[in-house]
């Protein structure tokens, strides 16, 4: 059972870059762990942008800037492209983010976030741009993400947008359930399918 | 009026969850050592056994060194990950091709060449390049580790139905233009998110005329346009490739299978959510200049001005390149031939054909890494090893190698590598590495000249 998701109101960490791929979210050399060590992955989130080659902090990177913080990451379009590594979602969750807002997500990464109870919120380009502007003007401004109502609100402007999520996944997030719970309760249906479909020698 | 994708997807629906995803039956699950350990760990924590272990095939490929594979892996963390896969395979009773097993190699090279990947199948793996297998006429896509666990537990996955796209490429490819160039061209046109949300079917004269290896390269790179997967309708090329392969059906089963596979094509009146047409005459040998695979150009072109975005400027800054610069003549430090994109026999034939009678440039470090032991054996059977050795190249042992540098094959910071792999992301081939993605022919041209060279000038 995972942490249930309801309403989150938080400050944001802005990452106004496009096409942030999962190799940047967590470089491959940190994927050698054999357990779900979320803290380890979180500590290495955006590793090569966050740390210099000598291991010291890169003060220019947003995660190292103390004026930004919170449970919401706001990123440019096409977030999470490239590799399917779920380690990227573990790193985001391990760091403490519970929501990622962008105007566009790559498919596999979006699923990985959902399967780790991190909510990907798709907003319009104009909403995203205004959000980046508002955060730049006031890093302590708040955003409310309301899963039951499927709304995201920029508290600085009061503007809201509705975001999409299918009813099944919403139910899972709000109740801390995952897909495996669902699938293993459906074994009989799977066996019936197999009995009717023997296209390949199994 | 169904598309090829619809026919296969629909034949695998166990149920549709109300206002939710489809529960899709999976014929094959492939696992490698990087994205599976936490899934097996989850199975143990829940006290579950694999539901259909015979349909699951595992092999290490990402961490494997490309030399001395008969000895224990020197890097303790890599060794632990590979050993963990072996133990999980044993404990859960799934198929396992370990290091030094003649069947080992990159999972996306091994599946098709062993006949494990067949037309009409649904195939998943915790790896975005699972799209490769679509070349055989399968619905194949990459998934996360939680989803790997779903399939271990139930041989099913919950998945939203993607939209369909057909990309038709008409005409005939020019001399020196390969499947890799076609893919890099499409990425340049579509960007890395142009096909997100879609499953792509590749069609047209160019695709029909591609060899199986070429189709595998094309489908491999579907994910780099954001597509969930890519596929090619099975035809005589597919059947000829598969016949007699170890795990392909035999005898009467083969006849029955081919009869079914012949039905796997989009109906004439099939409607796609999106249709795109490209002309082969517009496609030249390609090379990338940026930090995503969509940042490519014809090798004779100059780097474009870009959109003035922070992302574009950051990319060129990382690469040490400037708008307006032509890459021809640019000094190259490393050449990498291999990966699930271009580690097949045809890629080695192409590379060898160009370097034959020439010599490796002295300042270039070249890593030639077959995609599997079967490819390695073919290289030797065809005498390509001798051609390559005479030109100053050595062949390493199979694995993912420098594609993502999880083993020792890392491109040093600041160095330029012409690479036949799939991604030029920052740090992908090692921290600070600078990747220029290109075809095996372009890689060979760089390897013998020491600079970025249009391969057509050497053919």
């Amino acid at each position: 059972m995972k942490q249930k998701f309801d309403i989150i109101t938080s400050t944001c960490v802005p990452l106004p870059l496009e096409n942030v791929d999962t190799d940047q979210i967590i470089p491959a050399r940190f994927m050698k762990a054999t357990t779900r060590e979320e803290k380890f992955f979180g500590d290495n989130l955006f590793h090569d942008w966050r740390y210099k080659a000598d291991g010291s902090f890169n003060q220019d990177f947003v995660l190292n800037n103390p004026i930004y913080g919170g449970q919401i990451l706001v990123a440019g379009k096409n977030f999470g492209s490239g590799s399917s590594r779920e380690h990227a979602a573990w790193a985001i969750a391990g760091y403490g983010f519970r929501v990622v807002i962008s105007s566009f997500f790559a498919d596999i990464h979006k699923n990985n976030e959902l399967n780790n109870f991190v909510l990907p919120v798709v907003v319009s380009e104009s909403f995203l741009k205004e959000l980046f502007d508002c955060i730049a003007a006031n890093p302590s401004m708040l955003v409310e993400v309301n899963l039951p109502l499927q709304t995201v609100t920029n508290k600085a402007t009061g503007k809201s947008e509705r975001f999409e999520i299918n009813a099944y996944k919403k139910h899972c997030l709000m109740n801390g359930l995952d897909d495996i719970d669902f699938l293993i309760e459906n074994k009989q249906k799977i066996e019936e399918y197999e009995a009717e479909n023997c296209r390949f020698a199994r | 009026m169904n598309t090829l994708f619809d026919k296969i997807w629909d034949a695998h629906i166990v149920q549709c969850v109300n206002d939710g995803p489809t529960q899709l039956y999976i014929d094959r699950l492939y696992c490698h050592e990087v994205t599976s350990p936490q899934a097996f760990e989850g199975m143990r924590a829940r006290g579950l056994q694999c539901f259909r272990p015979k349909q699951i095939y595992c092999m290490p490929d990402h961490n494997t060194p490309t030399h001395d594979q008969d000895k224990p892996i020197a890097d303790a963390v890599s060794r632990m990950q590979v050993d963990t896969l072996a133990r999980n395979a044993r404990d859960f009773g799934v198929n396992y091709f370990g290091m030094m097993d003649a069947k080992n190699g990159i999972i996306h090279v091994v599946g098709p060449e062993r006949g494990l990947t067949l037309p009409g199948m649904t195939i998943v793996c915790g790896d975005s390049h699972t799209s490769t297998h679509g070349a055989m006429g399968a619905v194949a896509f990459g998934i996360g580790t939680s989803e790997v666990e779903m399939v271990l537990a139930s041989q099913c996955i919950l998945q939203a139905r993607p939209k369909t796209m057909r990309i038709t490429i008409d005409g005939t490819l020019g001399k020196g233009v390969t499947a890799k160039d076609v893919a890099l061209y499409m990425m340049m046109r579509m960007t890395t998110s142009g096909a997100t949300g879609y499953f792509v079917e590749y069609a047209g004269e160019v695709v029909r005329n591609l060899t199986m290896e070429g189709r595998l390269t094309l489908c491999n790179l579907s994910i780099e346009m954001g597509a969930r997967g890519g596929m090619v309708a099975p035809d005589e090329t597919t059947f000829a490739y598969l016949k007699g392969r170890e795990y392909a059906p035999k005898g009467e089963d083969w006849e029955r299978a081919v009869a079914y596979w012949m039905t796997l094509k989009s109906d004439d009146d099939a409607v796609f959510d999106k249709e795109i047409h490209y002309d082969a005459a517009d496609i030249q040998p390609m090379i990338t200049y940026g930090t995503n695979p969509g940042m490519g150009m014809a090798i004779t072109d100059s780097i474009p001005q870009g959109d003035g975005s922070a992302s574009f400027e950051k990319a060129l800054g990382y690469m040490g390149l400037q708008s307006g610069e032509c890459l021809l003549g640019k000094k190259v430090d490393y050449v990498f031939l291999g990966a699930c994109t271009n580690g097949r026999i045809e890629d080695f034939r192409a590379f060898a054909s160009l370097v034959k009678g020439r010599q490796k440039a002295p300042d270039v470090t070249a890593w030639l890494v077959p995609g599997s032991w079967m490819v390695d054996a073919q290289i030797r059977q065809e005498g390509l090893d001798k051609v390559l050795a005479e030109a100053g190249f050595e062949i390493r042992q199979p694995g993912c190698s420098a594609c993502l540098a999880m083993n020792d094959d890392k491109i040093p910071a600041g160095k330029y590598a012409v690479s036949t792999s799939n991604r030029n992301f920052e740090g992908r081939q090692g921290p600070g590495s600078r990747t220029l993605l290109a075809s095996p022919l372009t890689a060979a041209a760089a390897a013998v000249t020491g600079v970025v060279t249009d391969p057509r000038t050497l053919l």
Side-chain angles (χ1 to χ4, degrees):
Chain A
M1 188 77 82
K2 294 268 192 168
Q3 194 176 1
K4 294 178 185 178
F5 204 110
D6 190 0
I7 298 170
I8 285 181
T9 305
S10 170
T11 52
C12 302
V13 175
L15 186 65
L17 287 172
E18 297 173 359
N19 304 316
V20 172
D21 59 76
T22 54
D23 272 76
Q24 307 319 312
I25 299 174
I26 184 99
R29 61 187 186 281
F30 299 107
M31 288 161 54
K32 295 186 185 185
T34 52
T35 54
R36 285 194 194 222
E37 300 165 61
E38 287 200 351
K39 181 174 184 314
F40 168 79
F41 294 122
D43 288 346
N44 291 298
L45 174 68
F46 295 117
H47 184 280
D48 291 354
W49 289 347
R50 193 166 154 197
Y51 303 99
K52 294 181 180 168
D54 64 6
S56 64
F57 287 111
N58 173 10
Q59 297 300 344
D60 295 336
F61 187 61
V62 67
L63 290 194
N64 297 323
N65 187 337
I67 67 170
Y68 299 109
Q71 295 178 283
I72 303 176
L73 176 67
V74 185
K77 73 176 175 198
N78 197 25
F79 185 77
S81 57
S83 160
S84 59
R85 62 189 68 172
E86 192 161 321
H87 310 66
W90 297 334
I92 289 168
Y95 185 83
F97 288 123
R98 300 202 63 205
V99 175
V100 181
I101 297 176
S102 178
S103 56
F104 198 91
F105 287 85
D107 284 331
I108 305 177
H109 180 68
K110 191 175 177 183
N111 281 354
N112 288 341
E113 286 192 6
L114 285 167
N115 285 333
N116 286 280
F117 292 73
V118 172
L119 181 63
V121 173
V122 181
V123 296
S124 67
E125 282 292 346
S126 57
F127 188 93
L128 184 69
K129 186 181 178 308
E130 190 170 73
L131 188 51
F132 278 131
D133 291 345
C134 289
I135 298 168
N138 175 15
S140 54
M141 63 86 68
L142 295 172
V143 166
E144 181 195 275
V145 175
N146 185 320
L147 179 59
L149 291 177
Q150 294 177 231
T151 57
V152 51
T153 306
N154 176 337
K155 293 283 202 181
T157 61
K159 281 187 197 164
S160 273
E161 270 194 7
R162 187 180 160 80
F163 62 86
E164 293 303 320
I165 181 169
N166 72 56
Y168 164 82
K169 207 65 203 179
K170 179 173 168 179
H171 174 79
C172 286
L173 287 181
M174 291 182 62
N175 294 284
L177 301 171
D178 70 21
D179 290 351
I180 294 171
D181 300 327
F182 175 89
L183 286 167
I184 56 182
E185 282 169 15
N186 276 283
K187 285 234 166 113
Q188 198 191 332
K189 278 206 171 71
I190 305 169
E191 282 166 352
E192 284 166 12
Y193 170 88
E194 287 178 324
E196 288 164 18
N197 297 272
C198 45
R199 227 168 278 105
F200 302 102
R202 293 195 221 277
Chain B
M1 49 175 288
N2 278 333
T3 68
L4 166 62
F5 172 82
D6 294 326
K7 289 180 184 181
I8 300 174
W9 181 275
D10 290 346
H12 288 83
I13 295 175
V14 175
Q15 63 171 326
C16 292
V17 181
N18 202 16
D19 193 15
T22 303
Q23 181 180 345
L24 197 69
Y25 190 83
I26 298 300
D27 294 311
R28 288 251 190 277
L29 169 67
Y30 295 135
C31 292
H32 60 63
E33 77 279 21
V34 181
T35 56
S36 66
Q38 291 86 353
F40 285 110
E41 180 197 30
M43 293 284 285
R44 280 196 186 89
R46 292 174 201 254
L48 295 173
Q49 294 293 310
C50 282
F51 185 62
R52 292 291 178 255
K54 287 191 173 62
Q55 290 168 237
I56 300 167
Y57 288 80
C58 302
M59 65 202 74
D61 53 12
H62 284 56
N63 283 272
T64 49
T66 52
H67 55 86
D68 298 309
Q69 286 191 6
D70 54 327
K71 302 184 181 71
I73 301 175
D75 178 322
V77 190
S78 284
R79 188 170 67 238
M80 160 91 164
Q81 201 167 47
V82 170
D83 290 350
T84 300
L85 180 62
R87 197 184 63 242
N88 284 333
R90 197 173 56 236
D91 290 357
F92 287 88
V94 300
N95 301 284
Y96 179 68
F97 304 157
M99 238 168 50
M100 292 304 289
D101 185 322
K103 295 183 195 175
N104 182 258
I106 305 172
I107 208 156
H108 307 313
V109 174
V110 171
E113 76 182 6
R114 293 279 163 188
L116 284 165
T117 297
L118 298 172
M121 279 186 166
T122 47
I123 299 171
V124 293
C125 173
D127 192 299
S128 59
H129 293 111
T130 308
S131 59
T132 311
H133 306 269
M136 314 293 302
V139 166
F141 52 93
I143 57 175
T145 299
S146 295
E147 294 169 315
V148 171
E149 192 179 332
M150 288 181 210
V151 185
L152 291 174
S154 69
Q155 207 57 36
C156 287
I157 194 168
L158 293 178
Q159 205 73 187
R161 186 184 190 114
K163 292 179 281 187
T164 55
M165 179 189 291
R166 178 161 59 189
I167 301 179
T168 306
I169 311 158
D170 293 314
T172 309
L173 294 176
K175 188 179 76 163
V177 182
T178 68
K180 180 65 167 287
D181 300 301
V182 175
L184 287 170
Y185 174 83
M186 290 193 292
M187 290 175 222
M188 174 185 74
R189 296 287 302 270
M190 306 258 303
T191 79
T192 52
S193 59
T196 302
Y198 291 89
F199 221 95
V200 175
E201 179 180 344
Y202 299 103
E205 192 183 349
V206 165
V207 179
R208 283 290 131 228
N209 288 335
L210 282 179
T211 60
M212 210 58 240
E213 284 85 355
R215 294 177 188 182
L216 289 159
T217 298
L218 195 66
C219 289
N220 173 273
L221 292 160
S222 304
I223 181 70
E224 311 310 338
M225 304 185 293
R228 215 45 220 285
M231 61 200 309
V232 175
D235 60 10
E236 289 305 324
T237 302
T238 322
F239 309 146
Y241 176 93
L242 276 174
K243 190 158 193 184
R245 302 243 169 203
E246 188 176 354
Y247 291 89
K250 307 277 182 322
E252 273 181 36
D253 286 344
W254 170 260
E255 302 302 328
R256 238 190 334 265
V258 171
Y260 169 57
W261 296 342
M262 304 269 272
T263 69
L264 296 177
K265 54 187 173 193
S266 291
D267 296 332
D268 291 342
D269 55 354
V271 178
F272 290 80
D273 295 304
K274 196 167 185 177
E275 292 250 24
I276 291 178
H277 292 264
Y278 294 124
D279 187 341
D282 297 333
I283 308 176
Q284 313 291 320
M286 298 281 297
I287 196 159
T288 64
Y289 56 85
T291 55
N292 73 56
M295 299 176 81
M297 60 183 181
I299 196 164
T300 50
D301 277 354
S302 300
I303 298 173
Q305 290 305 317
D307 53 5
S309 69
S311 308
F312 188 85
E313 298 308 319
K314 187 177 192 305
L316 288 197
Y318 178 87
M319 292 298 293
L321 300 171
Q322 290 178 334
S323 290
E325 195 175 345
C326 179
L327 290 179
L328 290 175
K330 175 101 190 155
K331 189 179 173 305
V332 172
D333 307 296
Y334 284 78
V335 166
F336 172 53
L337 173 67
C340 55
T341 312
N342 282 124
R344 297 184 186 79
I345 186 62
E346 186 176 281
D347 304 311
F348 279 79
R349 285 183 197 136
F351 191 99
S353 73
L354 193 140
V355 304
K356 187 174 185 176
R358 297 189 169 98
Q359 280 297 310
K360 183 182 81 64
D363 294 342
V364 169
T365 302
W367 290 331
L368 277 52
V369 184
S372 68
W373 282 114
M374 188 185 246
V375 173
D376 180 81
Q378 275 175 290
I379 288 169
R380 290 169 206 285
Q381 243 163 35
E382 297 182 14
L384 300 177
D385 54 329
K386 293 186 184 64
V387 173
L388 292 167
E390 278 164 21
F393 296 93
E394 62 168 309
I395 297 162
R396 299 170 79 89
Q397 294 179 327
C400 300
S401 181
C403 176
L404 82 172
M406 284 192 75
N407 67 357
D408 294 335
D409 304 344
K410 293 176 172 56
I411 309 296
K415 298 293 183 190
Y416 289 95
V418 173
S419 182
T420 67
S421 52
N422 39 57
R423 288 181 177 142
N424 50 356
F425 296 151
E426 282 186 34
R428 171 81 179 183
Q429 296 196 278
S433 61
R434 291 163 162 173
T435 303
L436 310 172
L437 297 176
S439 75
L441 282 176
T442 302
V448 294
T449 60
V451 295
V452 174
T453 302
D454 185 340
R456 292 172 297 192
T457 62
L458 300 178
L459 290 174

